[in-house]
Amino acid sequence: MREIFIRNEDGKKVFIEIDLHAYGYSNKYGWLLSVFIKFDALDESAEGFEEYLDVKESLIIALEHDDKAKYVGSRVVDGWSELYFYALDSKGLDAIVTNLLKDANYIYESSVVRDTKWDFHYKNLAPNELELCHIESEKIIFLLEEEGDELEIPRAVEHYVSFDTPTQKNKFLNSLSLEGFSFKDEISSEEFENGVALLKTHAVTREEVKKVVNELFEAIKKEQGYYEGWSTLLAQEENV
């Protein structure tokens, strides 16, 4: 499954698409193929956008044929779309790329390097813990939008955190001073033996959720905790 998130690198927004299951291929595929295409894939209204998507998927299909390579993700920055694959070996990769792109009228370049440890993947594609939290938030917001929710309406939102030890959990709760957050309940399960549900009233727009999650994440990490996600009701349901 492909997920999309935004990363800030040196003041620039980088839009990253990632296959979260890609690392499962790492013991087999040790060559990194990079394909840079001069096309801003963020602008869906741009002329040629649908054609670009067709070319991208055709390239993925061609390179993944007979398990020769695996598409692991892409980056869009400064008007360039960067596609990344890990391959069994370096033979024939450039030829496949050239065969598909030579008649598509794109400015492009490709390169193949040895990367058995998947260093590039770790540093430039794989989401960190906080970025994974934002990916999960996006899924919830998408479902709310599908139900016609008005995201800008504040409502009670439960945020879930967990800790490795009861001491960490209690220390966090005793020092909880985040504006608007209150303790709701303790959660005990196989997954979250030392879990806590916190409550805060806020809108669930992308901007507001990201702000709230960032704030809570920072506080949790001071006690070596983990952010486990959030849930809420539709605004109209809460007001019934």
Side-chain angles (χ1 to χ4, degrees):
M1 178 179 292
R2 300 178 194 173
E3 304 288 356
I4 297 175
F5 64 99
I6 302 172
R7 175 178 292 168
N8 190 300
E9 294 182 0
D10 299 325
K12 294 181 180 179
K13 284 186 177 181
V14 180
F15 291 76
I16 299 174
E17 179 182 75
I18 180 73
D19 177 355
L20 291 178
H21 302 296
Y23 188 66
Y25 316 132
S26 62
N27 63 341
K28 185 178 180 181
Y29 298 91
W31 290 86
L32 172 66
L33 167 66
S34 307
V35 182
F36 287 20
I37 302 174
K38 184 60 176 177
F39 187 85
D40 187 354
L42 296 180
D43 186 359
E44 296 184 9
S45 64
E47 182 179 354
F49 180 77
E50 293 298 329
E51 289 81 357
Y52 165 77
L53 292 184
D54 288 342
V55 170
K56 173 185 174 182
E57 292 306 318
S58 295
L59 186 60
I60 292 172
I61 291 170
L63 286 165
E64 290 190 339
H65 181 65
D66 289 337
D67 291 330
K68 183 174 182 60
K70 291 292 184 181
Y71 172 71
V72 296
S74 64
R75 290 160 52 93
V76 181
V77 59
D78 289 341
W80 284 84
S81 296
E82 309 170 358
L83 310 182
Y84 297 99
F85 304 80
Y86 276 89
L88 289 171
D89 56 55
S90 60
K91 298 177 182 178
L93 298 178
D94 285 329
I96 294 174
V97 173
T98 299
N99 185 55
L100 274 164
L101 296 182
K102 65 181 180 181
D103 297 324
N105 296 320
Y106 293 118
I107 297 172
Y108 73 92
E109 56 186 72
S110 64
S111 64
V112 185
V113 296
R114 187 78 165 160
D115 186 16
T116 56
K117 295 183 178 180
W118 282 44
D119 287 335
F120 182 89
H121 181 272
Y122 280 125
K123 296 175 182 177
N124 299 284
L125 291 172
N128 59 35
E129 188 178 350
L130 180 57
E131 289 167 339
L132 280 172
C133 294
H134 292 318
I135 288 173
E136 293 304 312
S137 289
E138 181 61 34
K139 294 178 183 179
I140 299 173
I141 292 172
F142 174 79
L143 293 175
L144 293 173
E145 288 178 325
E146 288 288 289
E147 294 296 326
D149 193 8
E150 297 182 45
L151 304 180
E152 69 278 2
I153 297 178
R155 84 288 303 274
V157 181
E158 291 186 17
H159 293 265
Y160 309 106
V161 303
S162 67
F163 301 88
D164 291 326
T165 69
T167 300
Q168 291 171 337
K169 177 190 70 177
N170 293 332
K171 186 176 180 181
F172 170 78
L173 290 175
N174 290 335
S175 62
L176 181 62
S177 60
L178 295 174
E179 183 178 353
F181 279 99
S182 61
F183 170 77
K184 181 181 180 182
D185 201 2
E186 294 193 14
I187 304 172
S188 181
S189 67
E190 291 184 4
E191 292 184 41
F192 318 131
E193 186 174 349
N194 300 291
V196 176
L198 302 174
L199 199 62
K200 182 173 183 176
T201 298
H202 61 82
V204 289
T205 61
R206 288 170 174 78
E207 296 77 12
E208 185 64 18
V209 168
K210 187 172 185 178
K211 175 184 174 183
V212 171
V213 170
N214 285 348
E215 180 183 24
L216 184 54
F217 187 90
E218 182 179 355
I220 294 166
K221 285 305 166 185
K222 292 179 180 178
E223 302 302 333
Q224 291 76 53
Y226 308 93
Y227 183 75
E228 306 290 358
W230 58 275
S231 67
T232 191
L233 296 174
L234 297 173
Q236 54 265 40
E237 291 180 354
E238 186 185 47
N239 295 327
V240 171

